[in-house]
Amino acid sequence: MKNGAFAHIFTVLFAVFMLAPIGVVVAVSFTAEGFLEFPPSTLSLRWYWAILDNPDFIDAFIVSLKLGFVSALLATVLTVPAGLAIGRGRFRGRDALQALFLSPLTVPTVVLGISFLRFLSLFGMNGTFIGLAVCHAVIIIPFVLRLVLASVTGMDPSIEKASVSLGASPWTVFRRVTLPAITPGVVGGFVLAFITSFDELTVSIFIVNPSTTTLPVRLFSHIAQTTDPLVASVSTVAILFTVVVMLIVDRLYGLDRLLIGEGKR
Amino acid sequence: MNPFLLSAPALALFGVMLVVPLIMTFILSFHSFGFYTGIEFTFGLHNYIDVLTDDYFYEIFGRTFAIALAVTVICVIIGTPMAFFLQRMRAWTRSIMVLIVLGPLLVSVVVRTLGWMILLGNNGVINSALMDMGLLTSPFRMMYTSGGIVVALAHVMVPFMVLAVWAALQRQDPATIAAAESLGARRSTIFRRVVLPQAMPGILSGSLIVFSLSASSFATPSLIGGRRVKVVATTVYDEFLNTLNWPLGAAIAIILLVAVLVIMVTWNRVVERQFAGVFQ
Amino acid sequence: MAYLELDHLSKAFGPFQAVADFSLDVARGEFVSLLGPSGCGKTTTLQMIAGFEEPTSGTIRLNGRDLSGVAARDRGLGIVFQTYALFPHMTVAENVGFGLDMRKVRGKERKRRIAAALELVHLSHLAGRHPRQLSGGQRQRVALARALVIEPELLLLDEPLSNLDAKLREEMQLELRRIQQEAGVTTLLVTHDQNEAMALSDRIAVMHAGTLVQEAAPFEAYERPTTAFASAFLGKSNAIHGRYEGPEFVTKDGVRLAAPAPAADGAGAAGDVMLALRPERILFVEEADAVVSGKVVERVFLGDQWLFKVATPVGELLVTRRNGGHAEPEPGATVHLAWAADHLRVLAPEAAA
């Protein structure tokens, strides 16, 4: 079936709805005035230069980058073996294990946030980068697991048997057969985990201190006080960063596949 | 290799960093709090009694679930057709539309909410435009209202709905449409009796995701609702970081967690019973 | 006038000619197969009859009615799809009843016809099940019942047995033939499986590269293929290339063979020709009676028969022999072969074959 006129109009309106809030942030960031105006009467890069005078935002951006990288790496390294076990085996407790690793998706993030706060503060770890990274790893493991699982279950199990029959050792099988077969899922999982960590607010806001404040937390605190063109320009930089990552992912893996979490169709 | 050995590192992380903290929060919710003494290691149900006997908290919980319900309904109404249209698009239009629909998921919720603040404010884009056109004489208040929260949250959540429905549509055998056509069905009949019922599991699972995420959302209600329009998540935040009454905050959070879990389990039960034998 | 007439049908997808000037007549009640390899245009032809594809040129007439411009839903044809295309959210009875709903058949009459259709395919006991709970063969029957219950003017079967395993496929062939005859419905089957086409149909239309190659009853098509393609596609066949020198056939290696006279107007009147010979028509004989002698190159045991590959002066020949329960020549043994000259078919050689 083809789409009719109603479908075309609906699609355009939907696209406007999806893009409007993002577009408007980008638009107002180019104002020359000291307040938010839309559309900007005169265009300037004034508020982009202003970012350089606010090292808070730059520091937060760097923290978020480091945090995203470290927590995504940690999550991926821990999840790949678990994903292989869950994706392949039929063993007692398999469903329970999978449910446990996916559970951070079900628990409200605010509950996770206060629980991490309570836990870390008892050990004096609150506000540390390592504490933040470990908590982020817990939240993003479900995203990695879903993509790794999709790759593992989409993999022909006999290719491993085939390589064993050709004389490969278990480590060789993993390195030369299994890992290449699930690489798309692992890479996709890493990227999705990185972005999720990079954007995370609700957990972070409970467990950061001034030196480990992430970009979303910094933006949130700023916006809660005042909305000025500075947050718009910082947001635009963040959007640009996301768009670049997104286009790379879409080219490599397919955005829909990444987000649906299905390896094979 | 033993599956539990392979899962051991992740299992250890979850044990220490998820299970223990959640249990500690649960225990925390039974402690009490003194303004001068801080957390007192007593043990009792008083926090729960405080929450369940105070109209103030009923209002907050009521508002939270009403907002979540409204967001879910809106997402069904606009997300489901979008998924259908997406399914029928030609490859290149579809890939562009996928970027537009799903791309925002990758943009921070804070940034997206900032966009809605600029759109919805009294001097915001929408009010200015409507007043310039002469459709409004004074601004229509959308910031600091539940309605504003619903609109912005719908924007945040609708991609999940589109994804869920679209995934269900992709599992459909396109030949079922041809079969219905060959049996004499018109387009509207095919949609109503063949396509929609097969998409139903996707709509239902998408609704559950949207509802539970909306009910526990923090950033959007906090920024759009401000201090006046509070929801559960923002109340918990205030108890923890402003009032510093952690035990009360923990109790509210536990109630939210239990409510969300109960709704999820019930919903899944109902769906499973409804579709027993149809979609395994 | 024929019941179903395909009149000079053509279908082009851009530069690709899927179906080229295809004509076929089907009589009322007849079971005809469109047989050919994948990509030969048989499925496109079915899609055009069903109304899912518009012919580039040519017409389709059913019972005297021109179908051009008639929407698929108004054609009233019963179609069994390759994937069965059962509605997963409906029970077996609801699936079968769908077409009746579209025809506003209600109440008792609806119930009666569903029951009769399920009775016909022997599935009455599963009426309340959902498709996911059925086996492949059962789904196939539901699909048939759903197509037949609307009493279609024409039944179209699109590779209906290709998703079944070999044993079930054979059972379903017999079943399908019985159901088609009981229902008395004119049927067009699209398949790439020559055994299926031969077992089921009254007539076979062999297609190749979008054109009709041969149209005949199964026995006729097998016994008297008119082209090299048809002879190779329907069963196994040996090809002996050569030319006529006067009344005698001489292979390209210079061996003289007794062969039927070439048809005056057809192949072999002049130039290169090909003799087609079925492997089961070649006999092992005493040296004195041999047409050719050769050496067994390979031998394969197939249970009910043996398959030999024999190197002879006229080329490598495939020979099949019924398994009579005694020892057969081993590879390397010299064997003497003979056949009746009238089992040779004289065909024009085809580059593609």
Side-chain angles (χ1 to χ4, degrees):
Chain A
M1 274 200 272
K2 283 233 207 72
N3 286 327
F6 172 74
H8 292 307
I9 295 167
F10 184 93
T11 305
V12 170
L13 289 178
F14 195 94
V16 169
F17 175 68
M18 290 315 292
L19 295 179
I22 295 168
V24 90
V25 169
V26 174
V28 298
S29 73
F30 290 105
T31 185
E33 303 297 329
F35 53 90
L36 292 172
E37 59 161 358
F38 180 87
S41 45
T42 39
L43 296 178
S44 91
L45 291 175
R46 172 183 167 192
W47 292 103
Y48 287 88
W49 293 112
I51 300 176
L52 297 178
D53 300 327
N54 286 276
D56 280 2
F57 282 111
I58 298 172
D59 291 346
F61 186 82
I62 292 169
V63 169
S64 282
L65 271 185
K66 276 184 0 196
L67 181 61
F69 189 78
V70 171
S71 60
L73 196 65
L74 182 60
T76 309
V77 168
L78 293 179
T79 310
V80 168
L84 283 170
I86 295 172
R88 262 193 302 216
R90 288 219 184 96
F91 55 91
R92 278 172 76 92
R94 177 180 172 276
D95 291 349
L97 213 54
Q98 183 175 346
L100 174 69
F101 289 139
L102 293 179
S103 64
L105 290 178
T106 333
V107 179
T109 32
V110 67
V111 178
L112 292 174
I114 60 164
S115 302
F116 292 148
L117 168 60
R118 174 72 174 151
F119 184 78
L120 291 177
S121 56
L122 281 185
F123 295 96
M125 299 274 289
N126 197 28
T128 59
F129 181 81
I130 189 73
L132 205 53
V134 170
C135 293
H136 270 215
V138 171
I139 315 169
I140 60 187
I141 275 180
F143 297 96
V144 186
L145 181 66
R146 280 206 303 205
L147 289 181
V148 171
L149 271 183
S151 296
V152 172
T153 49
M155 181 176 83
D156 179 359
S158 41
I159 61 169
E160 289 185 340
K161 288 184 187 134
S163 57
V164 170
S165 76
L166 293 168
S169 68
W171 171 241
T172 310
V173 173
F174 178 74
R175 199 169 46 83
R176 296 208 30 199
V177 177
T178 316
L179 200 56
I182 64 170
T183 295
V186 175
V187 173
F190 179 87
V191 174
L192 188 60
F194 175 85
I195 294 171
T196 309
S197 162
F198 188 81
D199 290 344
E200 213 292 323
L201 171 76
T202 314
V203 164
S204 311
I205 203 166
F206 286 97
I207 54 175
V208 294
N209 69 15
S211 70
T212 54
T213 297
T214 63
L215 187 61
V217 175
R218 165 70 57 220
L219 274 174
F220 177 85
S221 321
H222 195 102
I223 295 167
Q225 307 296 325
T226 168
T227 50
D228 55 21
L230 179 62
V231 285
S233 63
V234 174
S235 297
T236 304
V237 173
I239 293 170
L240 194 68
F241 178 74
T242 315
V243 166
V244 170
V245 174
M246 183 177 82
L247 289 177
I248 293 172
V249 168
D250 195 44
R251 200 33 73 79
L252 285 179
Y253 196 77
L255 196 56
D256 50 333
R257 276 174 64 201
L258 183 71
L259 294 170
I260 292 179
E262 283 178 5
K264 238 170 91 161
R265 272 205 287 273
Chain B
M1 209 144 112
N2 187 314
F4 287 99
L5 209 62
L6 286 171
S7 317
L11 213 50
L13 177 72
F14 269 57
V16 177
M17 287 307 301
L18 183 70
V19 178
V20 171
L22 283 175
I23 292 172
M24 284 170 50
T25 302
F26 187 63
I27 295 171
L28 179 63
S29 71
F30 297 105
H31 291 334
S32 40
F33 173 76
F35 194 73
Y36 298 105
T37 51
I39 298 167
E40 290 163 13
F41 293 91
T42 56
F43 210 78
L45 285 171
H46 45 272
N47 291 315
Y48 290 95
I49 294 166
D50 283 354
V51 174
L52 295 174
T53 52
D54 192 337
D55 284 347
Y56 173 73
F57 290 111
Y58 276 102
E59 193 193 323
I60 287 171
F61 272 92
R63 179 186 299 124
T64 304
F65 288 111
I67 287 173
L69 191 65
V71 171
T72 308
V73 170
I74 290 176
C75 285
V76 170
I77 292 172
I78 68 174
T80 308
M82 194 61 244
F84 283 116
F85 300 148
L86 213 50
Q87 173 76 353
R88 295 200 223 135
M89 276 177 193
R90 257 173 298 172
W92 72 274
T93 12
R94 175 161 58 204
S95 57
I96 290 170
M97 209 49 208
V98 164
L99 288 180
I100 292 175
V101 174
L102 305 185
L105 271 185
L106 304 183
V107 175
S108 169
V109 177
V110 180
V111 172
R112 284 190 275 170
T113 304
L114 171 66
W116 281 107
M117 292 168 77
I118 298 170
L119 288 170
L120 298 178
N122 277 356
N123 301 315
V125 176
I126 294 174
N127 271 321
S128 313
L130 290 176
M131 289 199 291
D132 286 349
M133 286 190 282
L135 293 171
L136 284 179
T137 47
S138 62
F140 179 72
R141 204 163 67 91
M142 291 178 283
M143 273 302 286
Y144 313 113
T145 65
S146 296
I149 297 176
V150 168
V151 171
L153 265 185
H155 178 262
V156 174
M157 299 297 165
V158 77
F160 294 108
M161 182 62 82
V162 176
L163 271 178
V165 179
W166 192 29
L169 289 177
Q170 281 173 336
R171 286 193 290 269
Q172 268 179 34
D173 179 359
T176 54
I177 294 171
E181 208 180 342
S182 76
L183 290 166
R186 279 179 303 161
R187 274 182 74 146
S188 56
T189 317
I190 294 176
F191 180 78
R192 192 167 44 81
R193 291 199 49 183
V194 176
V195 179
L196 191 61
Q198 289 190 72
M200 214 53 204
I203 297 173
L204 293 174
S205 70
S207 302
L208 185 59
I209 295 168
V210 169
F211 183 87
S212 58
L213 287 179
S214 302
S216 47
S217 65
F218 169 73
T220 306
S222 174
L223 291 176
I224 302 232
R227 300 230 155 264
R228 272 183 285 180
V229 187
K230 284 171 105 182
V231 296
V232 176
T234 55
T235 311
V236 172
Y237 176 81
D238 285 344
E239 290 301 336
F240 262 81
L241 297 187
N242 293 334
T243 324
L244 298 180
N245 188 345
W246 287 20
L248 181 64
I252 300 170
I254 294 291
I255 295 173
L256 176 69
L257 174 64
V258 170
V260 168
L261 289 180
V262 166
I263 290 169
M264 278 187 153
V265 171
T266 320
W267 185 258
N268 278 332
R269 279 273 166 76
V270 171
V271 169
E272 263 165 38
R273 197 169 317 147
Q274 194 78 17
F275 293 100
V278 187
F279 299 101
Q280 278 113 353
Chain C
M1 197 172 63
Y3 184 66
L4 171 68
E5 284 175 79
L6 308 182
D7 193 5
H8 299 288
L9 270 187
S10 292
K11 176 72 188 182
F13 296 103
F16 175 66
Q17 191 75 28
V19 177
D21 197 30
F22 182 85
S23 296
L24 181 73
D25 287 352
V26 179
R28 186 186 287 269
E30 204 180 8
F31 194 130
V32 175
S33 295
L34 292 183
L35 174 68
S38 61
C40 74
K42 58 189 193 298
T43 302
T44 308
T45 306
L46 179 118
Q47 297 276 330
M48 289 192 284
I49 299 170
F52 299 131
E53 293 284 356
E54 194 74 20
T56 310
S57 65
T59 51
I60 302 165
R61 273 184 296 275
L62 180 61
N63 207 0
R65 177 166 67 116
D66 186 351
L67 291 185
S68 353
V70 179
R73 69 163 183 274
D74 298 324
R75 295 196 180 196
L77 311 183
I79 306 176
V80 174
F81 293 82
Q82 190 170 5
T83 57
Y84 313 141
L86 297 178
F87 307 127
H89 55 291
M90 298 183 195
T91 63
V92 167
E94 285 164 356
N95 262 283
V96 176
F98 186 88
L100 296 174
D101 296 345
M102 298 306 113
R103 283 159 183 72
K104 312 235 182 307
V105 179
R106 302 256 154 81
K108 261 201 204 131
E109 169 72 0
R110 179 178 186 276
K111 227 179 240 171
R112 187 191 61 75
R113 282 173 67 175
I114 293 174
L118 289 178
E119 180 80 19
L120 180 70
V121 298
H122 299 321
L123 277 185
S124 308
H125 56 296
L126 297 178
R129 295 271 185 94
H130 280 98
R132 299 261 151 102
Q133 300 164 311
L134 302 179
S135 70
Q138 290 166 337
R139 289 181 200 178
Q140 157 84 69
R141 288 158 194 253
V142 178
L144 255 176
R146 186 178 69 179
L148 287 171
V149 76
I150 60 172
E151 291 166 3
E153 289 189 83
L154 178 69
L155 180 64
L156 299 175
L157 307 172
D158 183 8
E159 305 257 5
L161 305 177
S162 59
N163 283 333
L164 302 178
D165 61 50
K167 206 168 147 63
L168 196 56
R169 188 156 48 211
E170 268 174 36
E171 279 173 36
M172 275 310 294
Q173 280 177 8
L174 294 171
E175 227 2 57
L176 198 59
R177 186 66 180 151
R178 172 189 69 78
I179 293 167
Q180 189 264 341
Q181 280 170 351
E182 268 181 48
V185 60
T186 312
T187 304
L188 197 66
L189 167 76
V190 159
T191 182
H192 66 270
D193 181 334
Q194 35 133 346
N195 291 325
E196 194 171 300
M198 287 194 276
L200 285 168
S201 26
D202 300 317
R203 220 141 43 87
I204 294 177
V206 183
M207 285 187 79
H208 180 47
T211 57
L212 180 66
V213 172
Q214 183 172 11
E215 180 196 345
F219 181 74
E220 185 71 17
Y222 186 83
E223 282 303 314
R224 269 175 274 283
T226 53
T227 66
F229 176 81
S231 109
F233 195 75
L234 278 174
K236 294 191 184 72
S237 184
N238 291 298
I240 305 169
H241 293 273
R243 53 168 59 237
Y244 277 95
E245 285 177 9
E248 267 195 314
F249 179 86
V250 184
T251 69
K252 58 183 194 313
D253 295 322
V255 182
R256 290 175 184 276
L257 285 180
D265 54 337
D272 292 337
V273 297
M274 185 193 111
L275 298 180
L277 177 62
R278 297 286 180 198
E280 72 272 19
R281 302 292 155 75
I282 304 178
L283 307 171
F284 284 9
V285 294
E286 295 300 320
E287 187 169 5
D289 304 324
V291 177
V292 289
S293 299
K295 210 171 237 167
V296 175
V297 183
E298 258 177 69
R299 185 183 76 165
V300 181
F301 179 52
L302 297 171
D304 58 340
Q305 54 180 357
W306 293 87
L307 176 69
F308 297 89
K309 200 184 263 181
V310 183
T312 75
V314 301
E316 240 175 38
L317 294 178
L318 282 180
V319 183
T320 54
R321 269 164 74 76
R322 202 169 61 78
N323 174 18
H326 33 72
E328 295 288 342
E330 310 243 349
T334 300
V335 290
H336 310 288
L337 308 176
W339 54 81
D342 60 352
H343 283 148
L344 292 167
R345 301 288 162 241
V346 185
L347 301 170
E350 255 175 44

